[in-house]
Amino acid sequence: ETGVTQTPRHLVMGMTNKKSLKCEQHLGHNAMYWYKQSAKKPLELMFVYNFKEQTENNSVPSRFSPECPNSSHLFLHLHTLQPEDSALYLCASSQRLAGEATDTQYFGPGTRLTVL
Amino acid sequence: TQLLEQSPQFLSIQEGENLTVYCNSSSVFSSLQWYRQEPGEGPVLLVTVVTGGEVKKLKRLTFQFGDARKDSSLHITAAQPGDTGLYLCAGASQDSNYQLIWGAGTKLIIKP
């Protein structure tokens, strides 16, 4: 138990569906992240939120839409996805401190997404 | 573009053997981290190294950061089945705005 929960753990959706992934952190951290993990590929950073403000958007297609209503919750809204979007979607949180180059990221267990 | 190459991609050995996995780059990193990910879980941090030449030990695991801060290695002594998992390295630098750059991982299986 890392203090970061994700729901659902598994999701199968068609290309025309709309669904949302939810992440909640119970660690009091100020930063939250969405990553995409595909087999044999490096983790791809998708979005970063710091104090609820989006600070990174790594050229992610608009069919992925993040939402961060507060420092503890993060959502990833999905619509009209493609089969190549099938992957493990990981949420993480950290306490980013000004002047420090490295922080520890705490990950949730991920949502295994399959797009048919 | 900063890249981290991990080798080998896959390693399967018997319990009790020693092994070393590598994380290499042509870029310099301010810090480098190693994470372990078990099936059905997210990655969990094992260690952070920040100084060139630094060596850190975690029980049977020894981590080294290269002198030039471009590479790192993880050595496991007398591997146990509980060491099975995906080992990921991740580096941060000013060039990446201190966001983590990840390797693709080494999948390690320790057979009893």
Side-chain angles (χ1 to χ4, degrees):
Chain A
E1 179 59 49
T2 62
V4 180
T5 58
Q6 290 187 243
T7 55
R9 295 292 307 271
H10 300 272
L11 179 62
V12 179
M13 58 187 289
M15 288 192 285
T16 58
N17 291 159
K18 288 184 180 182
K19 296 287 184 183
S20 295
L21 310 184
K22 179 183 176 182
C23 175
E24 183 173 0
Q25 58 101 355
H26 310 274
L27 301 169
H29 289 163
N30 57 18
M32 296 188 77
Y33 311 77
W34 278 118
Y35 286 93
K36 176 183 179 182
Q37 186 176 33
S38 303
K40 301 182 181 179
K41 289 186 176 181
L43 266 69
E44 297 175 45
L45 179 63
M46 300 174 72
F47 302 104
V48 181
Y49 279 81
N50 208 329
F51 290 106
K52 302 189 303 176
E53 298 298 320
Q54 188 179 123
T55 57
E56 296 278 342
N57 175 343
N58 283 352
S59 303
V60 179
S62 59
R63 57 186 183 269
F64 295 93
S65 175
E67 178 189 0
C68 188
N70 55 60
S71 295
S72 299
H73 293 86
L74 186 63
F75 295 89
L76 188 62
H77 304 299
L78 316 171
H79 64 98
T80 58
L81 294 191
Q82 305 297 311
E84 59 264 28
D85 296 323
S86 299
L88 182 68
Y89 288 84
L90 291 163
C91 172
S93 70
S94 72
Q95 186 63 21
R96 300 216 75 173
L97 301 175
E100 288 200 3
T102 304
D103 53 3
T104 299
Q105 294 191 10
Y106 293 80
F107 285 82
T111 295
R112 173 68 63 185
L113 174 67
T114 303
V115 181
L116 301 177
Chain B
T1 302
Q2 293 180 298
L3 292 173
L4 278 168
E5 304 275 352
Q6 289 191 245
S7 61
Q9 286 188 350
F10 178 78
L11 185 59
S12 178
I13 62 171
Q14 291 294 137
E15 180 177 2
E17 294 183 16
N18 301 333
L19 66 109
T20 303
V21 298
Y22 301 91
C23 175
N24 295 307
S25 177
S26 58
S27 304
V28 176
F29 289 94
S30 302
S31 64
L32 198 134
Q33 298 180 321
W34 285 91
Y35 288 76
R36 179 169 65 211
Q37 183 178 17
E38 299 184 21
E41 301 296 331
V44 176
L45 180 70
L46 297 174
V47 76
T48 301
V49 286
V50 297
T51 304
E54 183 176 3
V55 176
K56 281 192 173 179
K57 292 193 175 185
L58 185 66
K59 296 184 182 178
R60 294 175 293 98
L61 278 59
T62 302
F63 303 86
Q64 184 162 9
F65 201 11
D67 291 342
R69 290 185 287 129
K70 292 183 179 181
D71 53 77
S72 181
S73 63
L74 159 58
H75 181 80
I76 301 180
T77 303
Q80 304 291 313
D83 296 327
T84 292
L86 179 67
Y87 288 80
L88 299 163
C89 67
S93 70
Q94 192 172 16
D95 289 348
S96 70
N97 198 28
Y98 298 109
Q99 298 298 344
L100 290 175
I101 304 297
W102 293 82
T106 293
K107 186 171 183 180
L108 177 63
I109 295 177
I110 310 299
K111 296 177 284 189

